[in-house]
Amino acid sequence: MPKEVEKQYKALVNRYINTKSENDLYAGQKFSRRFIEKEISPEEVIGIHKSALMELFPDAPEDFWHSFDFLIEMMIHYGLALQEHQSLIRKQEELELEMKIAEKVQNTLLKTRVPTFSDLDIGFLTVPAKQMSGDYIYFLSDDSNYASVAVADVIGKGIPAALCMSMIKFGMDNMQKQNSSPHVVLDVVNRIVEESVDDSMFISMFYGKYEVDGSVFSYASAGHEPVLLYKAASNTFIELDAKGLLLGVQPNATYEERSVVLDEGDFIAMMTDGVTETRTEDGFIDDEIIKEILTTVKDESAQKIADTVYQQLGEMQNFHLHDDFSIVIFKKGYKN
Amino acid sequence: MECRSSVDIFTEWDIVAARQLGRNEAKSIGFGTVDQARITTAISELARNIYLYAGKGNIKIERTYDNNQYGITIIASDEGPGIADVRKVMNDGYSTSGGLGAGMPGVRRLMDEFNVQSEQGVGTTITAVKWLR
C-alpha cells in the first residue's frame, strides 16, 4: 500500500474534521479517483481510514477500532466484486476488438465486383444491422454474355450468421468458372449448406441470371422473398417467385427455375427481408411503400434506385436497422 | 515450513475453526488487518467448497519462508469428485454454488500464488500463498 497516499488521506480527513467544509469534501471526492487509479480496493480504503483515525484519535476506545475490523471483513467481497467487474470489462474490450477484426475479415470476404454491361445497369447496396452481416450479395459474370447475382439471407444476425455466410461464398466460388443456370446453383449450394451447417441455421437465397442473348432473366429461389419486376410499358409491378425450400433443410431439395424477358426500362429489385420487413413505430411497412418509392425513381440509374430505397426506408426507422438491409437492382437499358 | 497446523472440514463449524486458525497464524506472521481479512476470506471460500462439494476434506495452514520473505500457505485438499474443467471454474462469472461466493477467481485474487490440482474421482488439492510485504 503506497505510504504517500495514506499520508495524504490522513491530511485530507483531518482537514475536513476541522473545517467541515464542502470544499474539503469535494477534495476528498477528487482524491478517491486516485484510489481507483491505483486500484486500491474498498477494504484497503477502510484500512487506510482506520490507520488515519488511529493516529488522529489515539485515545478512542478499543471497541471502536474493532468495529473497523468488522467493516474491513464486510468489504472483502465488495472488493472482489469490483475486481471481477473490472476484469469482465477488460474482457469485453478484447471481444469488441476481435469483433472489429472479424468485421474487416468479413468485408474482405464479402467483396464482390459489380459486372459492367452495356445493356444492363446494375446497382446494389448492403448495410449490416450489427457489425457483422448475415446478408450476402455475390455477382458472377463474364462481362459480355451474362450477369448473375446471388442474394442470400442467413436467418439470424451477427457472428453465427456471418460464419455461415462465408460457406456460401465458398460454394459460389466453386461455380465461378461455370455458367450454371439458377436451379443448378441453388442445388449445389443447398447440398453444401445441408452438409456443413447446424440444423438451427437456415438460409434463404435468390439466384438470378441475366443473359444478353434474348434479354432473358432466369431465376430460382430457396425460400427467399419474391422479387419485384417493374414493367415500364405498363407502369406496373410483377412479383417474381419460384418454388424451393430454404437452403439446408433437405439434401435433395429441388428448385424450380423460371424466366422473364426484360424490355427497355424494366428493372428487377431483389431484396432481403431487412428491406421488405422494415419496421417503423407503427409496425411493419406496407409492400406498397416500396413500390411507391421504386416508381418515383424508375427513370434513374440502378444505383440511384437502390440508394433511394435505403435512404427513404432508413429515414422511416431513423436508420436504426432491425435486420441486415440489402438490395440489388438489375435495370435493362443503357446507363444514365 | 516451520509451523504447520490443520483443521478437518466436516461441518460448517469447521469452516469457522479453519478461519480462526488462519487468522491467528496470519496475525502472528505479521499481516495487517486488511490482509488478515483477505487470507481469512480465502480460507473460508476454500473450506466452503470442500464442505459443499466434497463433503469432507482438510485445510492446512503453513508458515512459509522463502527468498527472505515470510508468507502464509493454505493447502485445501479433499477426496471429492474433482473438478471437471479447471479452466472453467477459474473464469469470472462462473460460480458453482450459485450463491454469492467469491469462487476460485476470488481466492486467486485474494492471494499472491494459486495452484489447483484436480483429478476426477480422486480429489482436489488447492495451494495458495500470500507473502508478507
PDB file of all heavy atoms in Angstrom, chain B residues 74-96:
ATOM      1  N   ILE B  74      -1.862 -21.794   2.325  1.00  0.00           N
ATOM      2  CA  ILE B  74      -3.092 -22.531   2.634  1.00  0.00           C
ATOM      3  C   ILE B  74      -3.132 -23.735   1.695  1.00  0.00           C
ATOM      4  O   ILE B  74      -2.964 -23.584   0.480  1.00  0.00           O
ATOM      5  CB  ILE B  74      -4.359 -21.692   2.361  1.00  0.00           C
ATOM      6  CG1 ILE B  74      -4.270 -20.308   2.997  1.00  0.00           C
ATOM      7  CG2 ILE B  74      -5.610 -22.430   2.826  1.00  0.00           C
ATOM      8  CD1 ILE B  74      -5.299 -19.324   2.443  1.00  0.00           C
ATOM      9  N   ILE B  75      -3.323 -24.911   2.264  1.00  0.00           N
ATOM     10  CA  ILE B  75      -3.472 -26.101   1.417  1.00  0.00           C
ATOM     11  C   ILE B  75      -4.839 -26.712   1.706  1.00  0.00           C
ATOM     12  O   ILE B  75      -5.106 -27.156   2.829  1.00  0.00           O
ATOM     13  CB  ILE B  75      -2.368 -27.144   1.688  1.00  0.00           C
ATOM     14  CG1 ILE B  75      -0.983 -26.496   1.446  1.00  0.00           C
ATOM     15  CG2 ILE B  75      -2.538 -28.362   0.779  1.00  0.00           C
ATOM     16  CD1 ILE B  75       0.149 -27.251   2.111  1.00  0.00           C
ATOM     17  N   ALA B  76      -5.700 -26.671   0.713  1.00  0.00           N
ATOM     18  CA  ALA B  76      -7.044 -27.240   0.872  1.00  0.00           C
ATOM     19  C   ALA B  76      -7.095 -28.518   0.070  1.00  0.00           C
ATOM     20  O   ALA B  76      -6.880 -28.506  -1.135  1.00  0.00           O
ATOM     21  CB  ALA B  76      -8.086 -26.257   0.359  1.00  0.00           C
ATOM     22  N   SER B  77      -7.332 -29.652   0.745  1.00  0.00           N
ATOM     23  CA  SER B  77      -7.374 -30.907  -0.007  1.00  0.00           C
ATOM     24  C   SER B  77      -8.623 -31.697   0.334  1.00  0.00           C
ATOM     25  O   SER B  77      -9.141 -31.627   1.450  1.00  0.00           O
ATOM     26  CB  SER B  77      -6.116 -31.731   0.276  1.00  0.00           C
ATOM     27  OG  SER B  77      -5.975 -31.917   1.666  1.00  0.00           O
ATOM     28  N   ASP B  78      -9.101 -32.404  -0.672  1.00  0.00           N
ATOM     29  CA  ASP B  78     -10.256 -33.271  -0.429  1.00  0.00           C
ATOM     30  C   ASP B  78     -10.167 -34.474  -1.344  1.00  0.00           C
ATOM     31  O   ASP B  78      -9.379 -34.492  -2.290  1.00  0.00           O
ATOM     32  CB  ASP B  78     -11.567 -32.508  -0.665  1.00  0.00           C
ATOM     33  CG  ASP B  78     -11.763 -32.109  -2.114  1.00  0.00           C
ATOM     34  OD1 ASP B  78     -11.844 -33.008  -2.977  1.00  0.00           O
ATOM     35  OD2 ASP B  78     -11.823 -30.887  -2.399  1.00  0.00           O
ATOM     36  N   GLU B  79     -10.976 -35.482  -1.043  1.00  0.00           N
ATOM     37  CA  GLU B  79     -11.038 -36.660  -1.908  1.00  0.00           C
ATOM     38  C   GLU B  79     -12.409 -36.717  -2.561  1.00  0.00           C
ATOM     39  O   GLU B  79     -13.017 -37.769  -2.703  1.00  0.00           O
ATOM     40  CB  GLU B  79     -10.744 -37.926  -1.094  1.00  0.00           C
ATOM     41  CG  GLU B  79      -9.282 -37.968  -0.681  1.00  0.00           C
ATOM     42  CD  GLU B  79      -8.986 -39.043   0.366  1.00  0.00           C
ATOM     43  OE1 GLU B  79      -9.853 -39.913   0.588  1.00  0.00           O
ATOM     44  OE2 GLU B  79      -7.889 -38.985   0.952  1.00  0.00           O
ATOM     45  N   GLY B  80     -12.869 -35.549  -2.939  1.00  0.00           N
ATOM     46  CA  GLY B  80     -14.195 -35.431  -3.551  1.00  0.00           C
ATOM     47  C   GLY B  80     -14.190 -35.781  -5.028  1.00  0.00           C
ATOM     48  O   GLY B  80     -13.249 -36.405  -5.523  1.00  0.00           O
ATOM     49  N   PRO B  81     -15.231 -35.352  -5.729  1.00  0.00           N
ATOM     50  CA  PRO B  81     -15.393 -35.734  -7.139  1.00  0.00           C
ATOM     51  C   PRO B  81     -14.361 -35.109  -8.082  1.00  0.00           C
ATOM     52  O   PRO B  81     -14.209 -35.562  -9.210  1.00  0.00           O
ATOM     53  CB  PRO B  81     -16.797 -35.221  -7.489  1.00  0.00           C
ATOM     54  CG  PRO B  81     -17.084 -34.148  -6.494  1.00  0.00           C
ATOM     55  CD  PRO B  81     -16.350 -34.533  -5.250  1.00  0.00           C
ATOM     56  N   GLY B  82     -13.653 -34.085  -7.624  1.00  0.00           N
ATOM     57  CA  GLY B  82     -12.690 -33.417  -8.504  1.00  0.00           C
ATOM     58  C   GLY B  82     -13.388 -32.396  -9.389  1.00  0.00           C
ATOM     59  O   GLY B  82     -14.611 -32.356  -9.472  1.00  0.00           O
ATOM     60  N   ILE B  83     -12.581 -31.560 -10.028  1.00  0.00           N
ATOM     61  CA  ILE B  83     -13.139 -30.513 -10.882  1.00  0.00           C
ATOM     62  C   ILE B  83     -12.978 -30.930 -12.334  1.00  0.00           C
ATOM     63  O   ILE B  83     -11.870 -31.226 -12.785  1.00  0.00           O
ATOM     64  CB  ILE B  83     -12.409 -29.170 -10.633  1.00  0.00           C
ATOM     65  CG1 ILE B  83     -12.525 -28.778  -9.166  1.00  0.00           C
ATOM     66  CG2 ILE B  83     -12.969 -28.072 -11.531  1.00  0.00           C
ATOM     67  CD1 ILE B  83     -11.534 -27.722  -8.724  1.00  0.00           C
ATOM     68  N   ALA B  84     -14.102 -30.992 -13.047  1.00  0.00           N
ATOM     69  CA  ALA B  84     -14.065 -31.484 -14.423  1.00  0.00           C
ATOM     70  C   ALA B  84     -13.287 -30.534 -15.333  1.00  0.00           C
ATOM     71  O   ALA B  84     -12.485 -30.947 -16.142  1.00  0.00           O
ATOM     72  CB  ALA B  84     -15.484 -31.664 -14.943  1.00  0.00           C
ATOM     73  N   ASP B  85     -13.535 -29.260 -15.188  1.00  0.00           N
ATOM     74  CA  ASP B  85     -12.899 -28.294 -16.076  1.00  0.00           C
ATOM     75  C   ASP B  85     -12.327 -27.150 -15.249  1.00  0.00           C
ATOM     76  O   ASP B  85     -13.029 -26.199 -14.919  1.00  0.00           O
ATOM     77  CB  ASP B  85     -13.924 -27.787 -17.090  1.00  0.00           C
ATOM     78  CG  ASP B  85     -13.282 -26.926 -18.169  1.00  0.00           C
ATOM     79  OD1 ASP B  85     -12.104 -26.534 -17.995  1.00  0.00           O
ATOM     80  OD2 ASP B  85     -13.957 -26.650 -19.167  1.00  0.00           O
ATOM     81  N   VAL B  86     -11.049 -27.262 -14.881  1.00  0.00           N
ATOM     82  CA  VAL B  86     -10.421 -26.276 -14.003  1.00  0.00           C
ATOM     83  C   VAL B  86     -10.453 -24.890 -14.639  1.00  0.00           C
ATOM     84  O   VAL B  86     -10.722 -23.890 -13.984  1.00  0.00           O
ATOM     85  CB  VAL B  86      -8.972 -26.680 -13.654  1.00  0.00           C
ATOM     86  CG1 VAL B  86      -8.284 -25.587 -12.849  1.00  0.00           C
ATOM     87  CG2 VAL B  86      -8.960 -27.976 -12.862  1.00  0.00           C
ATOM     88  N   ARG B  87     -10.208 -24.844 -15.943  1.00  0.00           N
ATOM     89  CA  ARG B  87     -10.187 -23.563 -16.648  1.00  0.00           C
ATOM     90  C   ARG B  87     -11.520 -22.840 -16.494  1.00  0.00           C
ATOM     91  O   ARG B  87     -11.576 -21.637 -16.340  1.00  0.00           O
ATOM     92  CB  ARG B  87      -9.908 -23.792 -18.121  1.00  0.00           C
ATOM     93  CG  ARG B  87      -8.637 -23.108 -18.574  1.00  0.00           C
ATOM     94  CD  ARG B  87      -8.340 -23.476 -19.985  1.00  0.00           C
ATOM     95  NE  ARG B  87      -9.421 -23.041 -20.863  1.00  0.00           N
ATOM     96  CZ  ARG B  87      -9.220 -22.655 -22.109  1.00  0.00           C
ATOM     97  NH1 ARG B  87      -8.007 -22.653 -22.606  1.00  0.00           N
ATOM     98  NH2 ARG B  87     -10.209 -22.298 -22.866  1.00  0.00           N
ATOM     99  N   LYS B  88     -12.584 -23.620 -16.544  1.00  0.00           N
ATOM    100  CA  LYS B  88     -13.926 -23.045 -16.471  1.00  0.00           C
ATOM    101  C   LYS B  88     -14.194 -22.433 -15.095  1.00  0.00           C
ATOM    102  O   LYS B  88     -14.734 -21.338 -14.999  1.00  0.00           O
ATOM    103  CB  LYS B  88     -14.953 -24.133 -16.787  1.00  0.00           C
ATOM    104  CG  LYS B  88     -16.307 -23.609 -17.191  1.00  0.00           C
ATOM    105  CD  LYS B  88     -17.139 -24.762 -17.747  1.00  0.00           C
ATOM    106  CE  LYS B  88     -18.617 -24.433 -17.718  1.00  0.00           C
ATOM    107  NZ  LYS B  88     -19.410 -25.649 -17.926  1.00  0.00           N
ATOM    108  N   VAL B  89     -13.801 -23.161 -14.037  1.00  0.00           N
ATOM    109  CA  VAL B  89     -14.090 -22.627 -12.705  1.00  0.00           C
ATOM    110  C   VAL B  89     -13.201 -21.430 -12.371  1.00  0.00           C
ATOM    111  O   VAL B  89     -13.514 -20.669 -11.463  1.00  0.00           O
ATOM    112  CB  VAL B  89     -13.986 -23.682 -11.567  1.00  0.00           C
ATOM    113  CG1 VAL B  89     -14.987 -24.788 -11.755  1.00  0.00           C
ATOM    114  CG2 VAL B  89     -12.582 -24.242 -11.447  1.00  0.00           C
ATOM    115  N   MET B  90     -12.118 -21.268 -13.113  1.00  0.00           N
ATOM    116  CA  MET B  90     -11.259 -20.115 -12.872  1.00  0.00           C
ATOM    117  C   MET B  90     -11.765 -18.863 -13.590  1.00  0.00           C
ATOM    118  O   MET B  90     -11.223 -17.791 -13.420  1.00  0.00           O
ATOM    119  CB  MET B  90      -9.817 -20.405 -13.326  1.00  0.00           C
ATOM    120  CG  MET B  90      -9.079 -21.437 -12.488  1.00  0.00           C
ATOM    121  SD  MET B  90      -9.182 -21.157 -10.714  1.00  0.00           S
ATOM    122  CE  MET B  90      -8.315 -19.596 -10.585  1.00  0.00           C
ATOM    123  N   ASN B  91     -12.799 -19.036 -14.402  1.00  0.00           N
ATOM    124  CA  ASN B  91     -13.350 -17.896 -15.133  1.00  0.00           C
ATOM    125  C   ASN B  91     -14.233 -17.035 -14.250  1.00  0.00           C
ATOM    126  O   ASN B  91     -14.998 -17.543 -13.450  1.00  0.00           O
ATOM    127  CB  ASN B  91     -14.207 -18.379 -16.304  1.00  0.00           C
ATOM    128  CG  ASN B  91     -13.375 -18.596 -17.541  1.00  0.00           C
ATOM    129  OD1 ASN B  91     -12.241 -18.121 -17.627  1.00  0.00           O
ATOM    130  ND2 ASN B  91     -13.928 -19.308 -18.491  1.00  0.00           N
ATOM    131  N   ASP B  92     -14.157 -15.722 -14.465  1.00  0.00           N
ATOM    132  CA  ASP B  92     -15.052 -14.818 -13.752  1.00  0.00           C
ATOM    133  C   ASP B  92     -16.481 -15.107 -14.173  1.00  0.00           C
ATOM    134  O   ASP B  92     -16.746 -15.457 -15.303  1.00  0.00           O
ATOM    135  CB  ASP B  92     -14.706 -13.369 -14.109  1.00  0.00           C
ATOM    136  CG  ASP B  92     -13.516 -12.889 -13.309  1.00  0.00           C
ATOM    137  OD1 ASP B  92     -13.452 -13.228 -12.118  1.00  0.00           O
ATOM    138  OD2 ASP B  92     -12.658 -12.187 -13.864  1.00  0.00           O
ATOM    139  N   GLY B  93     -17.360 -14.941 -13.230  1.00  0.00           N
ATOM    140  CA  GLY B  93     -18.773 -15.113 -13.556  1.00  0.00           C
ATOM    141  C   GLY B  93     -19.220 -16.559 -13.454  1.00  0.00           C
ATOM    142  O   GLY B  93     -20.377 -16.865 -13.586  1.00  0.00           O
ATOM    143  N   TYR B  94     -18.288 -17.476 -13.198  1.00  0.00           N
ATOM    144  CA  TYR B  94     -18.665 -18.878 -13.049  1.00  0.00           C
ATOM    145  C   TYR B  94     -18.625 -19.250 -11.574  1.00  0.00           C
ATOM    146  O   TYR B  94     -17.587 -19.280 -10.949  1.00  0.00           O
ATOM    147  CB  TYR B  94     -17.707 -19.779 -13.823  1.00  0.00           C
ATOM    148  CG  TYR B  94     -18.049 -21.244 -13.741  1.00  0.00           C
ATOM    149  CD1 TYR B  94     -18.975 -21.800 -14.622  1.00  0.00           C
ATOM    150  CD2 TYR B  94     -17.477 -22.051 -12.769  1.00  0.00           C
ATOM    151  CE1 TYR B  94     -19.299 -23.143 -14.536  1.00  0.00           C
ATOM    152  CE2 TYR B  94     -17.809 -23.400 -12.681  1.00  0.00           C
ATOM    153  CZ  TYR B  94     -18.713 -23.939 -13.573  1.00  0.00           C
ATOM    154  OH  TYR B  94     -19.038 -25.253 -13.492  1.00  0.00           O
ATOM    155  N   SER B  95     -19.771 -19.482 -11.018  1.00  0.00           N
ATOM    156  CA  SER B  95     -19.816 -19.866  -9.618  1.00  0.00           C
ATOM    157  C   SER B  95     -20.718 -21.081  -9.476  1.00  0.00           C
ATOM    158  O   SER B  95     -21.901 -21.027  -9.751  1.00  0.00           O
ATOM    159  CB  SER B  95     -20.342 -18.710  -8.773  1.00  0.00           C
ATOM    160  OG  SER B  95     -20.648 -19.170  -7.496  1.00  0.00           O
ATOM    161  N   THR B  96     -20.129 -22.199  -9.074  1.00  0.00           N
ATOM    162  CA  THR B  96     -20.914 -23.427  -8.999  1.00  0.00           C
ATOM    163  C   THR B  96     -21.942 -23.389  -7.889  1.00  0.00           C
ATOM    164  O   THR B  96     -22.983 -23.992  -7.978  1.00  0.00           O
ATOM    165  CB  THR B  96     -20.003 -24.649  -8.782  1.00  0.00           C
ATOM    166  OG1 THR B  96     -19.035 -24.296  -7.814  1.00  0.00           O
ATOM    167  CG2 THR B  96     -19.334 -25.071 -10.068  1.00  0.00           C
TER     168      THR B  96
END
